[in-house]
Amino acid sequence: MHTEKLKQKRITRINSKVGRDINRSIILNTVRKHQPISRAEISKMTRLNKSTVSIIVSSLLNEDLLVEAPDRGGGIGRNPLDLSLKHGKHFVGAISLDAPCTRVAVVDMDGTIKARDEIFTKAVSPDTLIPQCIGRLNALRSTLGPHRFHGIGVSVAGIVDSTHSRVIHAANLQWNDVDLGAKIREHISDNDPITVENDAKASALAEVLLGTRNTASPNLIFLLLGAGIGAGIAIHGKIIAGNTHAAGEVGHMTVVEGGEPCPCGNAGCWELYASERVPVRWYAEKKQSSPASQAALTLSDVFGAARGGDVHALHAIHLWGQHIGVGIGDMIRILDPEMVVVGGAITQIWDLVSEDINDAAWGRGTFARKRTTAILPTSLPDSPPLLGAAALSIRRIFEDFSISL
Amino acid sequence: MHTEKLKQKRITRINSKVGRDINRSIILNTVRKHQPISRAEISKMTRLNKSTVSIIVSSLLNEDLLVEAPDRGGGIGRNPLDLSLKHGKHFVGAISLDAPCTRVAVVDMDGTIKARDEIFTKAVSPDTLIPQCIGRLNALRSTLGPHRFHGIGVSVAGIVDSTHSRVIHAANLQWNDVDLGAKIREHISDNDPITVENDAKASALAEVLLGTRNTASPNLIFLLLGAGIGAGIAIHGKIIAGNTHAAGEVGHMTVVEGGEPCPCGNAGCWELYASERVPVRWYAEKKQSSPASQAALTLSDVFGAARGGDVHALHAIHLWGQHIGVGIGDMIRILDPEMVVVGGAITQIWDLVSEDINDAAWGRGTFARKRTTAILPTSLPDSPPLLGAAALSIRRIFEDFSISL
DNA sequence: CTGGTTAGTTCATTGAAACAACTTATTGGT
DNA sequence: ACCAATAAGTTGTTTCAATGAACTAACCAG
């Protein structure tokens, strides 16, 4: 069986079962967002009847998705019974595919990483890498005792057709048009759902679902800086795909008119001024050391030098921040999100670049708008693409349907 | 009663009534998108049971929202009874507020303008303009015989808080922080819903709902070019508001680094290179005629000269198109929409600018992506902001709820 | 230990979708 | 002309889940 079952249900109508599923999801998400919370509070928030909440909650308790805490004490009247998500029971597999580092993890449904592993590799064929990943994943699972497994989420540094689980193009891995869903299915149970998504989009989902910058209905852009640049756009908590799965492929926005030529054929592309290679190159050029030592220079070296007060390193980093800010500014003007969240190594030196990014994004003009969109480092406690991969599967636990009119 | 009732219902749970409302909307929208269509076809598309469709359709027929055509003939078996939206019965009021021209119309629920009027004015206070608009609207309605009225939609050339029906800032009208909903409510019945929205966003909605570029779930950007620039972004047919109601306020994206200074305090803003004033100014400068005749020059003059083969006019228009394309390119890279639809006077000379816009948007590089997003003139048969205003009310007829998880 | 208060459960009621059996309308073959 | 075959649409019964009212449970203050 190589066909992809178990896609997110697309709802075209409401009947009693679908209605129940939706209400179940509403209650489950209410607990997720407001835990600990009592049945009575859920009833008030959702406007579902107390009795309805009781019935659905008891089935969620039966499924081991929720736990009931004995007591919160306090107030007048009978004490509420607090409900929370159950930990240590429902796990998902997470794989973040990239070169030179592919990560594998088993993650609890609250986003806690229970076990993790890494595979360092140059570009290799998926037929080599995928079995390796699944092997590591199974090894990790076997260390964790009994649990329910909710499938595998995969984030890929490249353009992904998530509806068909295909990788269209992944530059670092040198993959083109790979049916990743099928290749993974060969190695795992038919029952475990597989979700594949672009790394920046997955990271955005992780920030929405697992981050601590929670708001009621998050409108945010996750900007993932690495060897390239990618963005994931969440509107009301949903990730925008784009007509050709290319929403957020912002690396080739023009930020410097008449700038450096880009392999894409244009010039002045954002990627040439904002990816992680850039400050390293700028710093190396200024240092004018030997070509060999230039090539060996890493981003950590630049960060270290900057922390040590090296003027050239600081200059490279500030300039980097300014160029990042220009592109963020354009995105803010188009989408007016609540926040732009940035992920990547840059978060290590956020204090050094924050001001440059903000100033460039907003401009210095007196009429410049109040800074209504916060530009912040990610709140995720581990690699965003890895947690993003986990979030892809975790989302299915909480909301395995979507309504389309 | 000045409180705003009758907002779009925000659904937090499903019960039998809500489910029925949703299914009713699903059926009504299925007819809207696929008319003429039979009950049996609706049943197949929505996967609602035949009997359920029959019941709901009969209530829609009772409400005069649908009509039944006798017969389509053909095929084997009993012939289907075709269902279509009823015309000439359900009207909405549309007001597009702008200086120097405010438009008022009564519009059928399929988007046909039944009667229209215009008010030419400089910037005036809302307390002067609003009663005038309502007066004109009532006059138009009285010419139209009996009908059901579904409320007033208002589009404003400016930043609008549509959830509170407030105009935050409208440059041409010189309005700031106006509670437009309340001011309109003073002059009309409590039962007629009022919807206020930014003109570009409303235009986007009109293109989605009333345009002929229909697709299943439209992801499009409507770019409205006038005295300023605004965009309305539709994702799955829903208009994105933005955190501060400023999504699509793209006039101050930087498209020319180190370009002309803008009143906003930055430089090289898109508005300075792409609004309708710009080609007029460029042409006037080249012509080096007297300052008086320069000031009198209009956009139509430039278009006329270009059509007549005037080199300077053509140059101004091509340059205009190129600058428009640059900004569109950035939007495409961020959002990857199905199409970018352009509205404004520019559509009159689309054949002259189409290529400039596309070339600038996509770049000329050999590696440039295939042109996956179509850049097209609007398909709307009348002023987009006016039909946009109508669409705001028409939307409520078809879908007066939204689900929020 | 009693009355007041809030949390949570039980059970009869209600609304709507599904299902199956039916009627209606039309084509095509004999 | 008549009789399958087929498809559209309707009717009555069944099923499922949310609701509301009445109930029990737990807790507090005096």
Side-chain angles (χ1 to χ4, degrees), chain A residues 13-15, chain B residues 19-20 23-24 27 39 42-43 46-60:
Chain A
R13 101 223 107 131
I14 307 286
N15 60 21
Chain B
R20 163 57 68 104
N23 285 339
R24 199 193 93 113
I27 289 177
R39 291 165 177 78
I42 294 172
S43 172
T46 61
R47 307 188 49 210
L48 282 161
N49 193 281
K50 282 198 299 175
S51 52
T52 309
V53 173
S54 268
I55 292 167
I56 294 178
V57 162
S58 76
S59 82
L60 290 170

Side-chain angles (χ1 to χ4, degrees), chain B residues 5-232:
Chain B
K5 299 181 306 180
L6 283 162
K7 288 210 191 311
Q8 218 187 1
K9 283 172 238 159
R10 262 215 129 57
I11 290 174
T12 58
R13 102 223 106 129
I14 306 286
N15 60 22
S16 54
K17 278 179 194 167
V18 174
R20 163 57 68 104
D21 278 357
I22 294 174
N23 285 339
R24 199 193 93 113
S25 278
I26 288 170
I27 289 177
L28 192 51
N29 277 285
T30 306
V31 175
R32 181 174 67 76
K33 287 180 199 159
H34 301 97
Q35 61 183 324
I37 187 174
S38 68
R39 291 165 177 78
E41 288 171 296
I42 294 172
S43 172
K44 272 174 209 145
M45 295 187 69
T46 61
R47 307 188 49 210
L48 282 161
N49 193 281
K50 282 198 299 175
S51 52
T52 309
V53 173
S54 268
I55 292 167
I56 294 178
V57 162
S58 76
S59 82
L60 290 170
L61 287 167
N62 262 332
E63 291 174 66
D64 265 336
L65 284 163
L66 299 184
V67 282
E68 200 171 50
D71 196 314
R72 207 187 320 180
I76 201 169
R78 174 176 171 176
N79 286 353
L81 298 168
D82 276 340
L83 299 165
S84 307
L85 296 183
K86 177 140 186 171
H87 297 159
K89 183 86 190 179
H90 300 269
F91 296 163
V92 299
I95 302 173
S96 90
L97 290 169
D98 199 358
C101 180
T102 284
R103 285 176 241 266
V104 179
V106 178
V107 182
D108 202 345
M109 79 170 164
D110 66 345
T112 318
I113 292 182
K114 308 300 285 186
R116 52 175 295 160
D117 202 349
E118 291 176 347
I119 301 171
F120 285 87
T121 167
K122 304 236 165 204
V124 282
S125 104
D127 296 307
T128 311
L129 189 55
I130 294 304
Q132 219 178 336
C133 290
I134 304 295
R136 302 281 186 114
L137 190 62
N138 288 334
L140 294 175
R141 281 185 64 189
S142 67
T143 67
L144 286 172
H147 57 264
R148 262 211 68 191
F149 194 67
H150 288 264
I152 298 179
V154 186
S155 70
V156 186
I159 298 176
V160 172
D161 175 352
S162 61
T163 53
H164 300 101
S165 297
R166 296 183 80 91
V167 176
I168 294 171
H169 174 69
N172 295 351
L173 289 161
Q174 292 172 30
W175 291 0
N176 281 292
D177 202 30
V178 176
D179 187 346
L180 201 55
K183 288 199 190 295
I184 295 172
R185 181 64 74 206
E186 287 170 20
H187 301 93
I188 67 162
S189 147
D190 262 7
N191 297 322
D192 295 333
I194 298 166
T195 319
V196 183
E197 185 54 282
N198 162 270
D199 57 350
K201 286 178 185 154
S203 300
L205 188 66
E207 189 70 48
V208 168
L209 226 52
L210 312 173
T212 57
R213 311 215 184 285
N214 280 325
T215 49
S217 110
N219 295 309
L220 64 82
I221 299 175
F222 194 103
L223 185 67
L224 185 63
L225 299 177
I229 308 182

Side-chain angles (χ1 to χ4, degrees), chain A residues 184-308:
Chain A
I184 294 172
R185 181 64 74 205
E186 288 170 19
H187 300 95
I188 68 162
S189 148
D190 262 8
N191 296 321
D192 294 333
I194 299 166
T195 319
V196 183
E197 185 53 282
N198 162 270
D199 57 350
K201 286 177 186 155
S203 300
L205 187 66
E207 189 69 49
V208 167
L209 226 52
L210 312 173
T212 57
R213 311 215 184 286
N214 280 325
T215 50
S217 110
N219 294 309
L220 65 82
I221 299 175
F222 193 104
L223 185 68
L224 185 64
L225 299 177
I229 309 182
I233 302 165
I235 305 285
H236 297 316
K238 310 268 179 203
I239 307 301
I240 293 180
N243 191 40
T244 62
H245 316 287
E249 291 296 325
V250 292
H252 298 282
M253 275 170 61
T254 305
V255 296
V256 179
E257 255 198 317
E260 294 177 46
C262 180
C264 82
N266 287 327
C269 293
W270 198 15
E271 200 159 272
L272 302 174
Y273 298 87
S275 73
E276 288 184 349
R277 289 173 234 168
V278 178
V280 180
R281 203 186 66 226
W282 284 338
Y283 178 62
E285 282 166 7
K286 285 282 181 178
K287 279 308 223 189
Q288 297 181 315
S289 47
S290 71
S293 66
Q294 272 194 24
L297 209 64
T298 69
L299 192 61
S300 308
D301 296 332
V302 183
F303 289 177
R307 289 266 180 238

Side-chain angles (χ1 to χ4, degrees), chain A residues 303 306-307 314 317-318 348-356:
Chain A
F303 289 177
R307 289 266 180 238
L314 280 167
I317 281 173
H318 288 312
Q348 296 162 24
I349 47 135
W350 191 255
D351 56 311
L352 297 177
V353 289
S354 167
E355 202 180 320
D356 298 295

